Amino acid sequence: IEKTPDLQQILSGENASFTITVTNDGDVDLTNVTVTDALAPDCDATFASLAVDAVETYTCTVLDVTTDFTNTAVAAGDHAAGGSVTDSDTADVDVIDPAIDIQKTPDTQQILSGGSADFTITVTNIGDVDLINVVVSDPLLPQCDTTVASLAVGESFSYDCTADNVFEGFTNVAIVNAEDEEGNPVTDEDDAVLRIREPDEGQLPVTGSDTSELAVAGLLMVLLGAAVVRFERGLDDGTS
């Protein structure tokens, strides 16, 4: 008996299909030929007889597979001498979970109108199989687009990009698309918010040191004003 493919990879929840071939490779005819498969009962079969060199082939399916497994198909048959013969073959099913993650940072930033905004994009293969044809696209910032040929399990890459002369705020979305070796697609996206702050008209920026100096000057002016008031009152009273 042969059960093929020997190994197949499927996504979680997909079906696993097999081809089973039973051959009488002996020199006597067989009767009561049975095939049993404990983990794939849909693959069980019975044939009344199997002549020398005769072959029986059929397909079967296991539905909604969510975990890896190795299943064994067993063929048995009787011969005219009163004995029986048996054979078995195994097939492995590998359930894969391809996935990818993209992060665009900072999540939120504020710049002056006409300024530049810097972003960092990080892409990581968070699945359990290698990925190929990794493409990052950013519709509002094409300068953030990039392509990587392959990305191994657990591997990441990061890069920076800049938007210059920005006068309006926006929320832009970076999107990554890729596929595994079997052609199964994966995708992810992340957004970043950019806000614009208009400078106050007619007012220069004030630094921390400038603020301290202004506070001291203000206090001196208040004290001086109080002294002038007392002096004028003293003149009015004739007691200066």
Side-chain angles (χ1 to χ4, degrees), residues 9-10 22-23 25 38 55 71 90 108 113 124 152 163 179-180 188 213:
Q9 288 185 327
I10 62 173
V22 182
T23 305
D25 56 359
V55 178
N71 64 321
T90 61
T108 303
S113 179
T124 306
E179 61 185 8
D180 64 19
D188 190 38
E213 293 171 359

Short mmCIF file of all heavy atoms in Angstrom, two decimals, residues 9-10 22-23 25 38 55 71 90 108 113 124 152 163 179-180 188 213:
data_model
loop_
_atom_site.label_atom_id
_atom_site.label_comp_id
_atom_site.label_asym_id
_atom_site.label_seq_id
_atom_site.Cartn_x
_atom_site.Cartn_y
_atom_site.Cartn_z
N GLN A 9 1.52 20.35 3.26
CA GLN A 9 1.30 21.50 4.12
C GLN A 9 -0.02 22.15 3.75
O GLN A 9 -0.30 22.39 2.57
CB GLN A 9 2.43 22.52 3.97
CG GLN A 9 3.76 22.08 4.58
CD GLN A 9 4.80 23.17 4.50
OE1 GLN A 9 4.83 23.97 3.56
NE2 GLN A 9 5.67 23.24 5.50
N ILE A 10 -0.82 22.44 4.77
CA ILE A 10 -2.10 23.09 4.54
C ILE A 10 -2.29 24.18 5.59
O ILE A 10 -1.67 24.16 6.67
CB ILE A 10 -3.28 22.10 4.60
CG1 ILE A 10 -3.35 21.45 5.99
CG2 ILE A 10 -3.16 21.04 3.51
CD1 ILE A 10 -4.60 20.58 6.18
N VAL A 22 -3.34 0.39 -3.66
CA VAL A 22 -3.15 -0.96 -3.13
C VAL A 22 -2.80 -1.88 -4.30
O VAL A 22 -3.53 -1.95 -5.30
CB VAL A 22 -4.42 -1.47 -2.42
CG1 VAL A 22 -4.18 -2.86 -1.84
CG2 VAL A 22 -4.84 -0.47 -1.32
N THR A 23 -1.69 -2.58 -4.18
CA THR A 23 -1.20 -3.45 -5.27
C THR A 23 -0.95 -4.86 -4.74
O THR A 23 -0.34 -5.03 -3.68
CB THR A 23 0.11 -2.88 -5.85
OG1 THR A 23 -0.09 -1.52 -6.27
CG2 THR A 23 0.59 -3.72 -7.03
N ASP A 25 1.32 -7.41 -5.13
CA ASP A 25 2.64 -7.65 -5.71
C ASP A 25 3.15 -9.06 -5.39
O ASP A 25 4.36 -9.34 -5.53
CB ASP A 25 3.64 -6.60 -5.24
CG ASP A 25 3.76 -6.51 -3.73
OD1 ASP A 25 3.04 -7.25 -3.03
OD2 ASP A 25 4.56 -5.71 -3.23
N ALA A 38 -6.91 4.78 10.89
CA ALA A 38 -7.53 5.19 12.16
C ALA A 38 -7.79 6.70 12.23
O ALA A 38 -8.82 7.13 12.78
CB ALA A 38 -6.64 4.76 13.32
N VAL A 55 -4.20 -3.58 -9.30
CA VAL A 55 -4.01 -2.33 -8.54
C VAL A 55 -5.36 -1.66 -8.32
O VAL A 55 -6.18 -1.58 -9.25
CB VAL A 55 -3.07 -1.36 -9.30
CG1 VAL A 55 -2.93 -0.05 -8.51
CG2 VAL A 55 -1.71 -1.98 -9.55
N ASN A 71 -0.73 10.00 9.82
CA ASN A 71 -1.70 8.92 9.81
C ASN A 71 -1.14 7.72 9.05
O ASN A 71 -0.28 7.87 8.17
CB ASN A 71 -3.05 9.36 9.26
CG ASN A 71 -3.00 9.76 7.82
OD1 ASN A 71 -2.05 10.39 7.38
ND2 ASN A 71 -4.03 9.41 7.07
N THR A 90 2.63 5.49 5.81
CA THR A 90 2.26 6.68 6.57
C THR A 90 2.29 7.92 5.69
O THR A 90 2.95 7.96 4.65
CB THR A 90 3.21 6.90 7.77
OG1 THR A 90 4.54 7.08 7.28
CG2 THR A 90 3.14 5.74 8.73
N THR A 108 1.48 58.77 16.57
CA THR A 108 0.99 60.14 16.41
C THR A 108 2.16 61.10 16.56
O THR A 108 3.01 60.91 17.42
CB THR A 108 -0.08 60.47 17.48
OG1 THR A 108 -1.15 59.53 17.39
CG2 THR A 108 -0.62 61.88 17.27
N SER A 113 3.57 73.63 10.50
CA SER A 113 3.16 73.67 9.10
C SER A 113 4.37 73.94 8.22
O SER A 113 5.16 74.85 8.47
CB SER A 113 2.11 74.76 8.89
OG SER A 113 1.71 74.82 7.54
N THR A 124 7.78 42.22 10.35
CA THR A 124 8.24 41.00 11.00
C THR A 124 7.43 39.80 10.51
O THR A 124 6.21 39.88 10.39
CB THR A 124 8.07 41.12 12.53
OG1 THR A 124 8.74 42.29 13.01
CG2 THR A 124 8.66 39.89 13.24
N ALA A 152 12.57 35.26 6.56
CA ALA A 152 12.53 33.98 7.27
C ALA A 152 11.65 34.08 8.51
O ALA A 152 11.31 35.18 8.97
CB ALA A 152 13.93 33.56 7.66
N ALA A 163 8.41 62.56 5.10
CA ALA A 163 7.51 63.40 4.31
C ALA A 163 7.94 64.85 4.51
O ALA A 163 7.96 65.35 5.64
CB ALA A 163 6.07 63.20 4.75
N GLU A 179 3.70 36.29 0.59
CA GLU A 179 3.15 34.95 0.41
C GLU A 179 4.16 33.92 0.86
O GLU A 179 5.36 34.21 0.94
CB GLU A 179 2.76 34.71 -1.05
CG GLU A 179 3.93 34.81 -2.01
CD GLU A 179 3.48 34.69 -3.46
OE1 GLU A 179 2.27 34.68 -3.71
OE2 GLU A 179 4.37 34.61 -4.34
N ASP A 180 3.66 32.71 1.19
CA ASP A 180 4.60 31.64 1.52
C ASP A 180 4.96 30.89 0.25
O ASP A 180 4.54 31.23 -0.85
CB ASP A 180 4.01 30.71 2.60
CG ASP A 180 2.76 29.98 2.13
OD1 ASP A 180 2.54 29.88 0.91
OD2 ASP A 180 2.00 29.49 2.99
N ASP A 188 -0.96 42.70 6.29
CA ASP A 188 -1.19 43.43 7.53
C ASP A 188 -1.06 44.92 7.22
O ASP A 188 -0.51 45.30 6.18
CB ASP A 188 -0.19 43.01 8.62
CG ASP A 188 -0.54 43.57 9.99
OD1 ASP A 188 -1.75 43.61 10.31
OD2 ASP A 188 0.36 43.97 10.75
N GLU A 213 13.66 84.69 32.68
CA GLU A 213 14.08 86.09 32.64
C GLU A 213 12.87 87.02 32.60
O GLU A 213 12.84 88.07 33.26
CB GLU A 213 14.97 86.32 31.42
CG GLU A 213 16.31 85.57 31.52
CD GLU A 213 17.09 85.63 30.22
OE1 GLU A 213 16.56 86.24 29.27
OE2 GLU A 213 18.20 85.07 30.16
#
